[in-house]
Amino acid sequence: MRYTPPRVKPLSGVTLAAVLATSGAAPADAQTLPLRTEPAVTAQAGTLVLETGMEAIADEPSYVTGVERTRWEGPLLRLVYSPAASVELDAEWVARVGVVGEEGRDDFQSSDWGDVALRAKWRIKEGKGARPTIGARFGVILPQTSFEDVHFNALGLGPNTLRAFVEGLLTQPVGRGRIHVDAGIFLQDEVLRPHDQRDFVSYGLAVEWPATPRLALLAEVAGRAGDGRPGADESSEARAGVRLGGGRVLWDAAVRRGLARADGTWGLTLGLTWTARAPAGRP
């Protein structure tokens, strides 16, 4: 007897769309905002991304006077370029940093230019399937915000010191989501004691879960641990938020919660990621 295989019913348009949406729900490229934890994955060669946003947090104590105030930063301007599939270079400038609600300050003048950061990331090992992706990142933060500027009433807005770091990165797929882990060394010159520095252990732990093809849920704890000094303090912060959109434009928002003594209490961050140039074949 000749065997006749059963007919397979073709997928309907709705079913096919659902399958494609599910298969594309897991994030593929390196996206950071609104988190501080850096993923180990990198974008395809030739990708050019612009990130921008604003942040604010309440009840942050001044490391000079101890008076609590609301601190804001922005707009953030970050340009990320991938010269190769395993490398990302980014330059970041926070255009303005300021405080409001601090006793003894003129709120309209209590601001200054923000710092500049230069960073490089190398994806050392690409994970496939359930295997993790491993990478490394290093960078330097160049001081731009004045420690004391009488004209702008900018006492204690920034440390005005050089900071450098090197970190190992790991991204582990978990189902449709991903876990990101950062760990390394963060070095910062002291503010009040010249020719001295503070050495910290930097860390970040983040969870990224795509609830729908256009909505990802995010959470993290990140900071630096060690023996801090005023102006070069230990820091820790938790964030929980969302990333919205698809294609070349993504929006993000998160609630912030300071965990260390030098941090504020509650805050917000809002951002936008725009892929200005994508490799051929990508949307």
Side-chain angles (χ1 to χ4, degrees):
M1 178 182 294
R2 186 176 181 180
Y3 173 73
T4 303
R7 291 187 61 190
V8 178
K9 185 178 179 180
L11 292 175
S12 67
V14 175
T15 305
L16 180 59
V19 171
L20 293 175
T22 303
S23 64
D29 288 345
Q31 301 292 345
T32 303
L33 294 180
L35 306 179
R36 297 192 299 170
T37 303
E38 184 74 17
V41 296
T42 52
Q44 297 182 42
T47 302
L48 182 65
V49 176
L50 174 65
E51 297 177 338
T52 185
M54 295 284 295
E55 294 189 348
I57 193 163
D59 302 322
E60 180 196 73
S62 167
Y63 68 86
V64 178
T65 65
V67 176
E68 294 183 348
R69 67 275 181 95
T70 296
R71 178 186 178 90
W72 57 267
E73 300 180 12
L76 161 78
L77 300 172
R78 181 189 298 153
L79 192 64
V80 186
Y81 175 62
S82 299
S86 60
V87 176
E88 285 185 359
L89 306 175
D90 75 79
E92 173 186 299
W93 178 45
V94 180
R96 206 72 184 168
V97 175
V99 295
V100 295
E102 181 175 350
E103 184 179 352
R105 285 188 186 268
D106 183 341
D107 288 347
F108 294 100
Q109 291 186 339
S110 296
S111 65
D112 198 3
W113 304 110
D115 293 335
V116 173
L118 304 174
R119 293 180 283 253
K121 180 169 64 171
W122 173 35
R123 189 192 68 215
I124 300 172
K125 180 181 178 181
E126 182 179 9
K128 295 182 179 180
R131 289 181 294 180
T133 297
I134 298 173
R137 183 175 71 147
F138 63 90
V140 60
I141 302 173
L142 307 175
Q144 180 72 15
T145 306
S146 300
F147 160 62
E148 184 175 9
D149 190 315
V150 177
H151 177 71
F152 288 110
N153 192 25
L155 181 64
L157 284 183
N160 200 24
T161 59
L162 190 68
R163 286 142 283 169
F165 66 89
V166 58
E167 295 176 325
L169 315 175
L170 183 144
T171 293
Q172 175 65 57
V174 179
R176 292 188 298 137
R178 299 188 295 187
I179 296 176
H180 307 295
V181 180
D182 297 356
I185 299 174
F186 186 96
L187 309 177
Q188 178 173 352
D189 291 342
E190 284 200 30
V191 178
L192 305 178
R193 299 197 306 176
H195 312 296
D196 206 347
Q197 71 179 35
R198 296 287 97 191
D199 300 342
F200 297 97
V201 174
S202 61
Y203 63 89
L205 175 62
V207 178
E208 183 178 352
W209 187 263
T212 73
R214 296 181 60 85
L215 171 65
L217 306 180
L218 313 163
E220 78 166 354
V221 176
R224 54 183 184 266
D227 182 19
R229 298 276 181 169
D233 300 276
E234 183 179 36
S235 177
S236 183
E237 183 179 309
R239 296 189 179 196
V242 296
R243 188 179 294 139
L244 302 166
R248 296 198 175 200
V249 179
L250 297 172
W251 299 88
D252 61 81
V255 176
R256 306 171 60 191
R257 173 61 181 175
L259 303 177
R261 183 174 59 182
D263 298 320
T265 52
W266 292 97
L268 293 171
T269 176
L270 300 171
L272 167 68
T273 299
W274 173 48
T275 302
R277 188 171 73 190
R282 288 198 53 196

